[in-house]
Amino acid sequence: MENSSRFVIAVYVENKFGVLSRVTSMFTRRGFNIDSLTVGVTETPEYSRITITMSGDGYAREQMLNQLRKLFNVKKVEYIEDSKALKRELMLVKVKNDLDNHQRLLSALDIFKAEIIDYSVDSLCIEVTGTSEKLDAFIEMVRELGIIELCRTGVVALQKGSSTMLSGMETE
């Protein structure tokens, strides 16, 4: 049996009321947990793209792909292979603004190509984008400097190269 791992599923859906609820409730009914979920309107306003990251083995992945394809308003479902994917995540993290740790924080910002987007006497809000692993590493580097608050978007992903999820699919 294949080991459990994280994988990404892209779901192209009609941009209509209740579609996201139907997609997520299907995971609940099947007893699967969603690690991250992002959703947004696509290049065609009539459609949205849902990017789901979940953990499981090959059987779980295939079961979810097949079940998602059966849902009303779902136009296309695709497993995005790691080797063929561009995956990114956005994180905003608020840290203590402490003169004693200022140089260490600036070093972390430089190493991770992060940006200060808000400054106050007591705190700094930092924006970091990249892979989930990069964001995890940034958190570990600044944790001892005093993280006040943190929020992450979840993974968004596209296929590398010129292939697209919409290849061979007719849209209205």
Side-chain angles (χ1 to χ4, degrees):
M1 183 174 190
E2 195 176 323
N3 290 337
S4 182
S5 61
R6 286 183 83 184
F7 55 90
V8 176
I9 298 173
V11 187
Y12 202 78
V13 299
E14 291 179 2
N15 187 13
K16 292 186 175 178
F17 176 80
V19 174
L20 179 61
S21 178
R22 280 192 288 283
V23 168
T24 57
S25 66
M26 197 247 344
F27 280 79
T28 304
R29 288 191 310 271
R30 302 289 183 281
F32 289 106
N33 186 47
I34 295 173
D35 295 329
S36 77
L37 181 138
T38 59
V39 62
V41 174
T42 66
E43 66 286 345
T44 307
E46 296 84 25
Y47 296 96
S48 290
R49 183 180 174 123
I50 302 171
T51 306
I52 301 166
T53 304
M54 65 176 282
S55 298
D57 58 15
Y59 174 77
R61 180 182 64 227
E62 289 308 313
Q63 183 180 15
M64 295 315 300
L65 290 169
N66 290 331
Q67 294 300 318
L68 286 165
R69 288 181 180 119
K70 294 177 185 178
L71 291 177
F72 187 69
N73 301 116
V74 170
K75 296 301 172 192
K76 189 156 186 190
V77 178
E78 194 169 87
Y79 161 60
I80 301 184
E81 293 180 55
D82 281 344
S83 63
K84 297 177 183 177
L86 300 169
K87 298 188 291 188
R88 294 295 182 268
E89 196 174 342
L90 167 69
M91 175 174 67
L92 301 179
V93 58
K94 192 178 292 188
V95 297
K96 290 180 185 173
N97 188 5
D98 184 348
L99 285 176
D100 295 337
N101 294 322
H102 193 70
Q103 192 56 48
R104 288 176 56 203
L105 183 59
L106 291 178
S107 293
L109 293 173
D110 187 46
I111 291 167
F112 289 92
K113 295 185 171 105
E115 184 178 342
I116 296 171
I117 58 172
D118 186 53
Y119 175 90
S120 75
V121 175
D122 299 329
S123 67
L124 300 171
C125 188
I126 300 164
E127 175 184 318
V128 188
T129 58
T131 63
S132 297
E133 295 79 15
K134 176 183 174 181
L135 274 56
D136 292 341
F138 183 82
I139 290 168
E140 287 309 309
M141 188 170 222
V142 300
R143 184 179 306 280
E144 63 187 45
L145 304 179
I147 296 175
I148 299 167
E149 190 174 13
L150 180 148
C151 100
R152 294 170 78 155
T153 60
V155 174
V156 291
L158 288 176
Q159 294 177 8
K160 290 180 181 177
S162 59
S163 65
T164 71
M165 184 174 183
L166 303 181
S167 297
M169 186 179 105
E170 295 273 333
T171 57
E172 294 144 13

